Amino acid sequence: MVDISVGMMSQAMRLSLFLVLCLSLTACDRRVVSFEPDDDDTSNDDDASGDDDDDATDDDDTDDDDATDDDDDATDDDDATDDDDATDDDDATDDDDATDDDDATDDDDSTEEPPSDPSAAGAFSVSVLTPSAVDATVYVPDGVGPFPVVVLAPGFQLGPADYASYGDHLASWGYVTVLPVFPGGLFGGPTHTELKVLLSEIVDWVSGSPADLGGVEDASSLALAGHSLGGKIALLLASEDARADAVFAIDPVDAAPPTGGSPDDYPSVAPELMDQIGVPMVLVGETTDSTAPAFGQACAPGDENFQQYYAAATAPALEVEIPGANHMSFLDDPNCLVCLFCATAADDPLVTKATTRALLTAFLASEFQGEAWGDDWLAGDGLGDLESAGLLTAQSKNGF
């Protein structure tokens, strides 16, 4: 009986030890499996697809659970050659780390998407300066640059405050924008030739790397722009100053003062000097003010307006008419004191300004930023959509 009891006890102990050992090995095997899927790629990795030995055919499931299991110690993919450690796409060649489009060649990084609305603000925050060396307000993008430069001249009896939205808008798109002050009053102000010299001095200042701008300007990329009288002066300077790379004139008026003046003081640009301008230009305008109203004056006479500049242009040119606008619809305050002398407009001045800013932004992007969307916008759906909506009519020539 003793021998039998001892034998039974020995068998029971062996059975207990065997069960403990099995449970231990099962727990260990369960821990290995639980830590195994350590990479993010669970769709193509061997562990997820059933190819890895640990999940489908691993010797741990069919082996005798001894200490010499080859897969667990010597050649298991998890330790030596498992894709998760040595050749897993996630560690060595996975698109997520090495060649994933998101990191190396993704179109999101290498190809900029065109903006949906160039009339909206750009990406840069803006600083506004009033330098002591020149009488002007300067809008500067908050960035390292270098940024192209736009000098936008004002109309008669108007100033930087009337075009502040243009300065802020252009700077937000990455352009140092200078809004000069034209001196003079209703009578006895500077001649057009003197204003041309003043505008040239503004360009000299920008080209001289002024400390006020902190070196962010690129004066070698220069656009001259202006409204009304300022548009004429911009075109006049472009006819003789090779530093201008493009011109954007907003309802330019070629006329001399009502009191007259000598051709030396008030030279006509259209048609006389238009063949001297060899850079691309955009001429935006309206015809509401092409004839004088019952009480008032023709603020942009038909024989001196934007259409005459376009007709005489020999360089690439785009002409855009804004239906219903008047000469002052382009201002931030189209109801200013001098605006009352012009004809009544039938447009929405906010839409007119937004349209003008979109044209200007796309034109500058095409000329200075090397961005294809500017060309596409001007030649395709951007301009075409505005025309289809009745917000403008346009024509171009000379390869614009």
Side-chain angles (χ1 to χ4, degrees):
M1 291 292 294
V2 172
D3 293 338
I4 294 174
S5 298
V6 170
M8 292 177 65
M9 289 179 62
S10 299
Q11 290 178 3
M13 290 178 65
R14 284 196 298 271
L15 179 61
S16 298
L17 290 172
F18 178 77
L19 291 174
V20 169
L21 179 59
C22 290
L23 290 172
S24 298
L25 291 173
T26 302
C28 290
D29 186 56
R30 209 163 29 240
R31 283 193 295 273
V32 170
V33 173
S34 66
F35 282 102
E36 197 170 314
D38 59 349
D39 61 71
D40 293 329
D41 187 358
T42 59
S43 59
N44 297 321
D45 191 277
D46 291 343
D47 292 339
S49 62
D51 294 335
D52 192 270
D53 292 341
D54 289 336
D55 291 330
T57 60
D58 192 339
D59 291 342
D60 287 346
D61 293 332
T62 58
D63 202 313
D64 290 338
D65 294 324
D66 57 34
T68 60
D69 185 347
D70 289 341
D71 288 345
D72 286 340
D73 294 334
T75 62
D76 187 355
D77 290 345
D78 287 341
D79 295 333
T81 61
D82 189 354
D83 290 345
D84 287 342
D85 294 333
T87 61
D88 189 348
D89 290 344
D90 285 338
D91 293 334
T93 61
D94 190 354
D95 290 344
D96 289 341
D97 293 333
T99 61
D100 189 353
D101 289 344
D102 290 336
D103 294 330
T105 61
D106 194 343
D107 290 342
D108 291 339
D109 295 331
S110 61
T111 303
E112 181 181 353
E113 289 295 324
S116 59
D117 183 9
S119 69
F124 291 98
S125 58
V126 177
S127 296
V128 183
L129 311 176
T130 52
S132 59
V134 292
D135 195 2
T137 302
V138 184
Y139 293 77
V140 182
D142 292 330
V144 297
F147 301 111
V149 177
V150 181
V151 180
L152 195 158
F156 180 68
Q157 292 297 292
L158 301 170
D162 296 299
Y163 307 93
S165 68
Y166 291 86
D168 188 71
H169 178 81
L170 291 175
S172 78
W173 279 88
Y175 302 95
V176 173
T177 307
V178 183
L179 305 182
V181 174
F182 276 1
L186 286 174
F187 305 100
T191 67
H192 293 181
T193 298
E194 290 169 337
L195 290 175
K196 178 200 68 178
V197 172
L198 184 152
L199 197 63
S200 178
E201 290 172 349
I202 294 287
V203 176
D204 292 341
W205 174 76
V206 175
S207 300
S209 301
D212 300 272
L213 300 182
V216 301
E217 77 287 352
D218 178 11
S220 66
S221 297
L222 171 69
L224 296 178
H227 167 243
S228 189
L229 171 62
K232 174 190 177 173
I233 301 305
L235 289 157
L236 179 61
L237 181 60
S239 72
E240 60 183 58
D241 194 326
R243 292 176 295 181
D245 298 300
V247 182
F248 192 95
I250 305 170
D251 216 19
V253 180
D254 198 45
T259 56
S262 74
D264 290 337
D265 292 333
Y266 301 96
S268 174
V269 178
E272 291 84 354
L273 301 177
M274 289 301 292
D275 62 350
Q276 302 300 309
I277 303 175
V279 298
M281 68 188 77
V282 176
L283 303 160
V284 181
E286 48 74 37
T287 56
T288 302
D289 268 311
S290 63
T291 57
F295 300 96
Q297 62 178 355
C299 290
D303 58 349
E304 305 280 0
N305 70 358
F306 73 106
Q307 294 169 325
Q308 305 309 313
Y309 288 99
Y310 177 78
T314 58
L318 173 68
E319 179 195 82
V320 177
E321 180 180 346
I322 310 294
N326 75 357
H327 190 56
M328 301 302 187
S329 293
F330 306 94
L331 300 180
D332 286 354
D333 179 13
N335 299 311
C336 65
L337 182 60
V338 296
C339 300
L340 301 178
F341 292 96
C342 299
T344 302
D347 67 327
D348 181 343
L350 294 178
V351 174
T352 294
K353 286 194 291 288
T355 300
T356 305
R357 285 194 296 262
L359 287 163
L360 179 51
T361 304
F363 176 57
L364 294 175
S366 172
E367 294 301 319
F368 295 125
Q369 303 288 14
E371 296 177 358
W373 75 260
D375 291 327
D376 294 341
W377 194 94
L378 290 169
D381 291 342
L383 192 64
D385 288 347
L386 293 176
E387 191 162 14
S388 297
L391 297 178
L392 58 81
T393 59
Q395 60 179 324
S396 63
K397 65 178 186 178
N398 303 330
F400 185 92

